[in-house]
């Protein structure tokens, strides 16, 4: 065995006729692609092609649990000059074509993430072997950054797995795990991680003498539709309808992806790659891309604990309540290696919660994300109890019971009689001030809020609420727990509704006022979906529960009343009339089976059945700006500690349009003076609920932004 001189990113190891190309970026935990690596890859390919002893090559990572995690976004955002991004795409594709067109077979041996440009490198190879590690994942997430794959992904993926299957991945950016990847045809072989290098060598030697046998895994319907121009035209037409329905035309990237795929299939690979480069350059300069990249960096920052050294180690937690929130918290915790004691009032309730968690794990087994053994291992970390057995060993307990202050205070007194003296009590309240709950505690400095969002398994945000008395180590430990649970974490100050509930409440209030003015339920929701929210406010109130909305209005009422604003009493009125939303299938919508329809009966509470149209843009501005104004007040009052946290909370917790960047990024893009003008205009027509915050007036007077330049 001969070893060549190592390069800075690649190290070529020759084993007879096979070269193992080890990818190992110095000084980095992950391998990332950047324009700085182009010359080095070119040199590596020269070496492989010019060495007559080498007949096949294997690309394999020297990093544990990582192939190539994608492009180095920090480097990409430096490309501000027109033409830079296009040229980078062309150079990268020239290199990848050398791999794909090489007479010497190249095998991608993948353990860990192969995302974005990393997957495009693998797609250019002649064969892909992946490990069965739960960390192995493949995907093209560029669309989530307002971009498209610029290394041939829009061209090679459809040719490999088919048009419809590739559009599903390209237009959503979804991840694919090892066994589903093999079923799609994205991976050729799945092996245990320890055997990856040896298996890759063996496959490489086999491919020297014969090309890979790759079965077409598409269904006969897929083959029929994709094999002729009329069928492909139908697929593209339906895909575009789906894209416009989902994006409401606010995101240009999906349509550009469709264009690249269509050009490549109709006019050939060269034309497709050129369309890819051109559209990549266009998208890099769009405001949507800039805001989504800003969001990407903010999320990454929110997955780090700046005071990690003060956090105490947490390996087990207690969860009080096995309802939707409690079992969700338990679920994400055991899946991340934590031991959980979950308490509920009866064995029936405990069993129901345990079955729900088991069903989620069983679904992962069916999708081949987990093995049966791994499922059993995860589930064994859950202990259902009906008393406080085992809680004497709990360093932290998350309470997820009903939003009742007296109940939470009673629980904290019961728990402190059992818990260790240094245990943390965390309340998953959505609106009650933590200081009010902590009044019942003998150790108020160890009481904190941990506001999860429903469904906990899917919603990425955790809002941590600290009081003036919360100890720093308690805050740091709660942040560390949230990060271990896989959440992006923001820390906010205490008060009614904290941040997220406080800013969504005025928006919901404004939605009720629009209904009172005669707007139709479906028109209201359609207007805000067009603005960029994933669901409209009426649908959101149904999902959350009108009883919860009424409780929030009651808690926040005094806060808003102090500013001369009276919350709308309609949610409480609707609850009294028997409307709770989706939970009892009666709300702003009727829920019969999978389909929902607007509920005309509810108009009796909003002035009768005679409805009228309101100006869509006016309604959008009213609902969005009343939320933005409240967000600015939260920053002004130090409930928020940074604009970044405000934007993350609004986007990840409430669905504020990501392409706008969040309340503060949007305010900066408009300019403080323009935002002030819009709010003053709304105030003159609709009243003091649109009174601009003092902080906004100061920013406008100083011509300043919320984010530093």
């Amino acid at each position: 065995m001969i070893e060549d001189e190592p390069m800075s990113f690649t190290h070529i190891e020759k084993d007879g006729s096979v070269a193992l190309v080890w990818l190992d970026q110095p000084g980095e935990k992950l391998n990332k692609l950047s324009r700085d690596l182009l010359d080095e890859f070119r040199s590596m390919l020269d070496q492989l092609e010019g060495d007559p002893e080498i007949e096949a090559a294997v690309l394999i990572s020297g990093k544990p649990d990582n192939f190539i995690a994608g492009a180095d976004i920090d480097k990409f955002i430096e490309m501000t000059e027109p033409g830079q991004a296009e040229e980078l795409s062309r150079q990268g594709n020239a290199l990848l074509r050398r791999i794909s067109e090489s007479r010497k077979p190249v095998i991608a041996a993948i353990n860990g993430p192969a995302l974005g440009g990393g997957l495009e490198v693998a797609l250019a190879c002649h064969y892909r072997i992946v490990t069965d590690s739960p960390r192995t994942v493949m995907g093209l997430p560029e669309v989530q950054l307002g971009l498209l794959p610029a290394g041939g992904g829009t061209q090679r993926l459809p040719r490999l797995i088919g048009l419809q299957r590739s559009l599903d991945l390209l237009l959503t950016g979804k991840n694919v795990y090892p066994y589903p990847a093999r079923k799609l045809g994205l991976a050729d072989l799945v092996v245990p991680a320890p055997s990856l290098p040896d298996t890759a060598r063996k496959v490489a030697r086999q491919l020297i003498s014969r090309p890979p046998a790759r079965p077409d895994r598409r269904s006969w319907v897929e083959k029929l539709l994709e094999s002729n121009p009329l069928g492909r035209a139908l697929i593209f037409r339906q895909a575009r309808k789906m894209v416009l329905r989902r994006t409401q035309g606010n995101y240009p990237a999906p349509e550009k992806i469709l264009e690249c795929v269509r050009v490549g299939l109709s006019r050939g690979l060269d034309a497709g790659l050129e369309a890819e480069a051109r559209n990549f350059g266009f998208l890099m300069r769009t405001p949507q891309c800039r805001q989504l990249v800003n969001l990407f960096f903010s999320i990454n920052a929110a997955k780090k604990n700046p005071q990690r050294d003060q956090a105490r180690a947490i390996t087990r937690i207690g969860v009080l309540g096995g309802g939707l929130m409690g079992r969700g918290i338990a679920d994400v915790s055991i899946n991340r290696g934590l031991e959980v004691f979950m308490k509920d009032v009866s064995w029936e309730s405990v069993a129901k919660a345990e079955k729900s968690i088991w069903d989620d794990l069983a679904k992962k087994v069916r999708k081949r994300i987990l093995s049966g053994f791994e499922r059993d291992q995860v589930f064994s970390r859950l202990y259902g109890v009906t008393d406080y057995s085992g809680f004497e060993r709990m360093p932290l307990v998350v309470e997820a019971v009903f939003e009742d202050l007296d109940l939470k205070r009673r629980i904290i007194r019961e728990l402190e009689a059992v818990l260790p003296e240094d245990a943390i009590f965390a309340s998953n309240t959505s609106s009650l001030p933590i200081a009010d709950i902590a009044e019942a505690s003998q150790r108020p400095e160890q009481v904190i809020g941990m506001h999860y969002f429903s469904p906990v398994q899917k919603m990425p945000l955790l809002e941590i609420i600290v009081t003036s008395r919360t100890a720093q180590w308690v805050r740091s430990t709660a942040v560390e727990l949230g990060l271990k649970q896989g959440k992006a974490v923001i820390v906010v100050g205490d008060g009614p509704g904290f941040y997220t509930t406080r800013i969504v409440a005025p928006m919901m209030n404004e939605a009720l006022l629009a209904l009172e003015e005669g707007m139709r339920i479906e028109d209201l929701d359609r207007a805000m979906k067009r603005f960029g929210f994933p669901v409209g406010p009426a649908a959101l109130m149904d999902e959350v529960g009108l009883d919860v909305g009424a409780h929030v209005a009651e808690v926040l009422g005094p806060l808003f009343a102090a500013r001369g604003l009276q919350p709308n009493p309609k949610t409480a009125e609707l609850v009294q009339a028997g409307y709770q939303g989706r939970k009892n299938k009666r709300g702003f919508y009727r829920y019969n089976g999978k389909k929902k329809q607007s509920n005309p009966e509810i108009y009796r509470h909003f002035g009768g059945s005679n409805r009228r149209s309101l100006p869509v843009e006016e309604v959008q501005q009213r609902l969005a700006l009343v939320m933005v104004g409240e967000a600015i007040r939260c920053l002004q009052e130090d409930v928020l500690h940074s604009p970044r946290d405000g934007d993350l909370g609004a986007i990840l917790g409430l669905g504020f349009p990501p392409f706008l960047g969040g309340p503060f990024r949007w305010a900066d893009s408009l300019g403080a003076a323009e935002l002030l003008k819009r709010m003053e205009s709304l105030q003159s027509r609709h009243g003091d609920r649109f009174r601009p915050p003092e902080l906004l007036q100061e920013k406008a007077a100083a011509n300043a932004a919320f984010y530093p330049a």
Side-chain angles (χ1 to χ4, degrees), residues 330-375:
D331 194 336
V332 298
S333 300
I334 61 173
N335 273 282
R336 294 287 180 143
L338 292 162
E339 188 179 86
V340 175
F341 277 61
M342 181 179 63
K343 177 186 179 299
D344 212 318
V345 293
S346 68
W347 286 114
E348 183 182 2
S349 299
V350 169
K352 184 179 177 182
E354 288 181 334
K355 183 180 184 304
S356 175
I357 294 171
W358 175 265
D359 289 345
D360 282 346
L361 291 169
K363 193 181 297 181
K364 291 179 182 178
V365 173
R366 287 196 298 274
K367 291 182 177 180
R368 310 287 299 264
I369 296 171
L370 292 178
S371 67
F373 173 75
E374 288 166 333
R375 172 204 58 201

Side-chain angles (χ1 to χ4, degrees), residues 554-568:
E554 181 184 353
V555 171
L556 289 170
L559 173 72
F560 295 130
R563 301 208 308 260
L565 308 177
Q566 291 304 317
N568 194 303

Side-chain angles (χ1 to χ4, degrees), residues 298-304 453 459-463 482-483 485-490 648 652:
S298 294
I299 291 173
N300 282 350
K303 291 184 176 179
K304 297 172 184 174
F453 294 77
M459 293 294 281
L461 185 71
L462 171 62
E463 182 181 28
L483 297 179
Q485 291 168 329
K487 301 300 180 184
V489 179
I490 64 170
L648 274 182
L652 301 185

Side-chain angles (χ1 to χ4, degrees), residues 576-616:
Q576 276 193 326
Y579 297 97
Q580 292 187 30
R582 185 182 278 277
K583 66 179 68 174
N584 75 340
K585 300 184 179 180
R586 290 187 73 221
F588 292 98
Y589 291 88
R590 291 169 170 166
Y591 299 87
N592 299 310
K594 291 184 178 180
K595 198 165 185 179
K596 67 179 184 183
Q597 294 177 318
S598 61
N599 186 358
E601 293 177 3
I602 217 163
Y603 291 138
R604 288 180 297 185
H605 300 271
F606 292 93
S609 58
N610 291 329
R611 300 282 99 189
R612 67 189 183 95
S613 296
L614 298 183
V616 170

Side-chain angles (χ1 to χ4, degrees), residues 335-498:
N335 273 282
R336 294 287 180 143
L338 292 162
E339 188 179 86
V340 175
F341 277 61
M342 181 179 63
K343 177 186 179 299
D344 212 318
V345 293
S346 68
W347 286 114
E348 183 182 2
S349 299
V350 169
K352 184 179 177 182
E354 288 181 334
K355 183 180 184 304
S356 175
I357 294 171
W358 175 265
D359 289 345
D360 282 346
L361 291 169
K363 193 181 297 181
K364 291 179 182 178
V365 173
R366 287 196 298 274
K367 291 182 177 180
R368 310 287 299 264
I369 296 171
L370 292 178
S371 67
F373 173 75
E374 288 166 333
R375 172 204 58 201
D376 296 345
Q377 195 175 38
V378 170
F379 193 71
S380 71
R381 293 193 279 266
L382 178 66
Y383 301 86
V385 295
T386 57
D387 55 24
Y388 290 119
S389 299
F391 278 70
E392 69 278 357
R393 299 185 296 120
M394 292 300 138
L396 185 149
V397 174
V398 181
E399 162 270 301
V401 302
F402 299 117
E403 287 285 272
D404 182 288
L405 182 59
D406 291 337
L407 174 62
K408 292 175 187 288
R409 285 174 170 173
R410 177 170 64 78
I411 284 173
I412 202 170
R413 284 191 289 265
E414 290 176 358
L415 267 173
E416 286 188 344
V418 178
L419 292 174
E421 285 194 7
D422 61 351
I424 297 169
F425 179 89
S427 177
N428 175 51
T429 176
S430 61
S431 58
L432 295 171
I434 302 303
D436 291 355
I437 298 171
E439 284 180 4
S441 173
Q442 297 177 13
R443 301 181 283 273
E445 69 280 1
Q446 292 165 220
V447 178
I448 198 165
M450 294 183 74
H451 177 205
Y452 296 84
F453 294 77
S454 181
V456 181
Q457 296 92 328
K458 293 183 179 179
M459 293 294 281
L461 185 71
L462 171 62
E463 182 181 28
I464 288 180
I465 306 101
V466 297
T467 73
S468 59
R469 302 178 69 177
T470 306
Q472 181 60 55
W473 70 267
V474 172
R475 166 180 168 159
S476 299
T477 303
V479 169
E480 197 64 24
L481 172 61
L483 297 179
K484 192 164 189 175
Q485 291 168 329
K487 301 300 180 184
V489 179
I490 64 170
V491 180
V492 302
D494 193 23
F498 328 124

Side-chain angles (χ1 to χ4, degrees), residues 45-360:
L45 288 172
D46 289 342
Q47 190 173 353
L48 291 177
E49 291 169 356
D51 190 334
E53 293 181 358
I54 296 175
E55 297 182 78
V58 174
L59 297 185
I60 188 168
S61 176
K63 306 283 188 192
D65 296 327
N66 168 249
F67 181 66
I68 301 173
D72 190 337
I73 304 298
D74 295 279
K75 303 290 185 185
F76 272 72
I77 61 170
E78 295 172 2
M79 296 185 295
T80 56
E81 295 297 321
Q84 280 184 300
E86 292 99 311
E87 185 54 31
L88 180 66
S89 175
R90 292 186 185 102
Q91 290 178 23
N93 269 318
L95 285 175
L96 292 180
R97 286 193 77 167
R98 286 180 63 184
I99 294 176
S100 65
E101 296 173 2
S102 171
R103 289 175 298 174
K104 300 178 180 183
V106 182
I107 294 87
I110 300 167
N111 182 47
L115 299 170
L119 179 55
E120 289 180 294
V121 170
L123 287 172
C125 295
H126 304 93
Y127 198 89
R128 283 155 295 282
I129 306 171
V130 301
T131 71
D132 60 4
S133 164
R135 290 184 57 83
T136 297
V137 59
M138 307 169 84
L140 294 169
E142 286 87 349
V143 70
Q144 297 171 5
L145 294 175
L147 293 169
L148 54 73
T154 66
Q155 305 305 304
R156 293 192 179 90
L157 189 64
R159 288 167 169 79
L160 179 68
I161 68 172
L163 176 58
Q164 294 171 84
R165 296 178 178 204
S166 64
L167 289 181
D168 181 45
L169 301 186
L170 288 164
L171 296 174
T172 63
K174 66 170 63 171
N175 288 336
V176 185
Y177 292 90
Y179 287 102
R182 188 180 67 178
K183 189 174 181 181
L184 275 175
L186 188 56
D188 295 294
L189 188 63
V190 181
V191 299
S195 67
L196 182 62
D198 288 340
T199 303
R201 287 188 185 94
K202 181 179 178 182
V203 168
R205 292 191 178 98
Q206 291 171 348
L207 295 185
I208 292 170
S209 56
R210 67 176 188 273
R214 183 170 290 117
D216 189 337
R217 299 181 183 273
R218 295 175 298 167
S219 68
W220 70 268
V221 176
E222 289 172 325
K223 292 175 188 175
L224 180 65
L225 278 173
E226 296 173 15
S227 63
N228 65 88
L230 288 177
R232 290 196 294 271
L234 175 64
I235 292 168
F236 281 117
R237 191 159 56 246
Q238 291 302 113
R240 188 170 186 275
K241 283 182 183 177
M242 181 272 291
V243 161
L244 290 175
R245 187 167 59 247
R246 196 175 70 236
T247 68
Q248 299 293 315
N250 290 316
Y251 297 85
E255 290 200 66
K256 294 298 184 184
I257 289 171
L258 284 173
E259 179 189 326
C260 292
V261 176
R262 186 171 55 246
V263 168
L265 291 180
S266 62
R267 292 167 47 198
L269 181 63
D270 289 342
L273 291 175
E274 181 55 31
E276 196 178 77
R278 184 179 67 253
N279 284 320
F280 179 64
F282 166 79
L283 291 171
M284 278 287 292
R285 297 190 298 275
T286 60
Q288 291 92 336
C289 172
R290 290 290 162 178
Q291 296 294 21
L292 292 171
V293 168
N294 286 333
L295 177 61
F296 170 80
F297 287 128
S298 294
I299 291 173
N300 282 350
K303 291 184 176 179
K304 297 172 184 174
N305 187 355
Q307 283 91 34
R308 188 179 182 185
D309 58 325
Q310 298 187 46
R312 299 191 179 177
I314 298 286
T315 58
R316 65 172 68 92
I317 64 169
V319 175
L320 297 184
L324 182 65
M325 296 303 293
R327 66 176 179 256
I329 296 165
D331 194 336
V332 298
S333 300
I334 61 173
N335 273 282
R336 294 287 180 143
L338 292 162
E339 188 179 86
V340 175
F341 277 61
M342 181 179 63
K343 177 186 179 299
D344 212 318
V345 293
S346 68
W347 286 114
E348 183 182 2
S349 299
V350 169
K352 184 179 177 182
E354 288 181 334
K355 183 180 184 304
S356 175
I357 294 171
W358 175 265
D359 289 345
D360 282 346

